[in-house]
Amino acid sequence: MKVLLTGREGQLGRTLVESVPEGIELIATGRSELDLSDGSACGVAVAELRPDWVLNAGAYTAVDRAESEPELADAVNAGAPGAFARALAKTGGRLLQVSTDFVFNGAQGSPYRPEQALDPLGVYGATKAAGEMAALALPGARVLRTSWVYGPVGKNFCLTMLRLHAAKAAAGEPLGVVADQVGCPTATHTLAAACWRAIGADSAVGSTNTATNASAANEGPMILHWSDAGAASWYDFAVAIGELGVAAGLLDRAAVVRPLSTADYPTPAQRPSYSLLDCTASRVALGLEPLQWRAALAQVLEQVAAQGP
Ligand SMILES: NC(=O)c1ccc[n+]([C@@H]2O[C@H](COP(=O)([O-])OP(=O)(O)OC[C@H]3O[C@@H](n4cnc5c(N)ncnc54)[C@H](OP(=O)(O)O)[C@@H]3O)[C@@H](O)[C@H]2O)c1
């Protein structure tokens, strides 16, 4: 099976490259090989390479910057999946579009099911929602939504908090973190396993999957939800990063974490206050057992420790 991957240098993209299943011919592209803001280049890539699947892990992910760059965010997040879908309709290939909990407004206060109506609060969420619609115009396409992605490399909350814990603990200062936004952290290694399953393949590394159902690509729902298990605020996540960072030998000691409200920490983009994804049906469809988010975090921190300074 030939898979054209975008976002090779991103958090998820790197983990997908590291966990590529046997039997997959992977063509992994980054920005220098394929500019996702160029729809015609996306179409040409599909026409020339004729992949069985496009796994679109590349995205414009700068949530706050998107508020001042809506055209670019839209070109990458909605234009590229649209171009892939149109080209794949001609070649007979399929599309897995990775999407986000930020397509929901966060107001309902209970986990969002895959089929619920979208109501994004900001430009990033709106462009990702448009990307979902563009992808799903292709029969057989799949959308996989996830939340709060982090891994051992790249720009993410976990690695930022490790640095801040060290700096604030050394300075004897508290670390303020927003406590009134609730979601679920998702480690790239469990997310990559879910992506491979969604296209009918089994990764060599990944989550605690024990089931053998790899039929999600053909029989499963069009929209899948995948996050690690449980729920957390950013504050809870920051506290756990401190505790488990000490346990992993990455920190001498953790800083005191102080809960902040969203109002204390204004950002250009409004974020959903409660964006848990209901993954129940998708876990069954994918045949994957989730890891509780703290267990997944411990595994990521072990990887960070193994990488060394
Ligand atoms: N991060 C999260 O918390 C989160 C949460 C929910 C869903 N998601 C979704 O999960 C997927 C993977 O996210 P991630 O965290 O792995 O993102 P990431 O680390 O920001 O990686 C995104 C990749 O896309 C590339 N990219 C951006 N614009 C491009 C362009 N014009 N042409 C080609 N490549 C371009 C980036 O390249 P450069 O490195 O050169 O910029 C980067 O390598 C995305 O669909 C995202 O929307 C992420």
Side-chain angles (χ1 to χ4, degrees), residues 145-159:
R145 293 192 194 116
T146 188
S147 61
W148 298 23
V149 176
Y150 71 100
V153 292
K155 270 186 241 156
N156 64 55
F157 183 85
C158 176
L159 298 180

Side-chain angles (χ1 to χ4, degrees), residues 6-14 29-38 56-63 65 72 75-77 97-102 124 128 144-150 153-156 186 188 191 234:
T6 69
R8 181 186 68 188
E9 310 290 344
Q11 302 189 78
L12 173 59
R14 288 188 203 210
T29 62
R31 187 187 286 271
S32 53
E33 294 86 17
L34 181 55
D35 180 358
L36 294 173
S37 69
D38 181 345
N56 191 26
Y60 183 111
T61 55
V63 175
R65 192 154 26 97
L72 179 57
V76 175
N77 291 346
Q97 171 66 13
V98 182
S99 193
T100 171
D101 54 335
F102 280 25
Y124 167 72
K128 293 294 289 185
L144 188 147
R145 293 192 194 116
T146 188
S147 61
W148 298 23
V149 176
Y150 71 100
V153 292
K155 270 186 241 156
N156 64 55
T186 304
T188 51
L191 176 58
W234 293 111

Side-chain angles (χ1 to χ4, degrees), residues 194-216:
C195 289
W196 289 127
R197 272 294 174 101
I199 66 166
D202 274 322
S203 66
V205 297
S207 74
T208 57
N209 52 305
T210 50
T212 54
N213 174 10
S215 65

Side-chain angles (χ1 to χ4, degrees), residues 78-178:
F84 286 136
R86 287 190 296 279
L88 289 163
K90 293 183 190 145
T91 61
R94 298 178 67 182
L95 174 61
L96 178 65
Q97 171 66 13
V98 182
S99 193
T100 171
D101 54 335
F102 280 25
V103 295
F104 297 115
N105 67 19
Q108 79 175 13
S110 60
Y112 286 92
R113 295 186 311 280
E115 69 280 8
Q116 284 195 256
L118 309 186
D119 182 22
L121 296 175
V123 169
Y124 167 72
T127 60
K128 293 294 289 185
E132 292 188 6
M133 285 177 54
L136 292 173
L138 175 72
R142 294 284 181 271
V143 165
L144 188 147
R145 293 192 194 116
T146 188
S147 61
W148 298 23
V149 176
Y150 71 100
V153 292
K155 270 186 241 156
N156 64 55
F157 183 85
C158 176
L159 298 180
T160 301
M161 284 299 129
L162 279 177
R163 283 193 294 276
L164 288 176
H165 267 294
K168 295 289 187 184
E173 294 171 3
L175 171 56
V177 181
V178 170

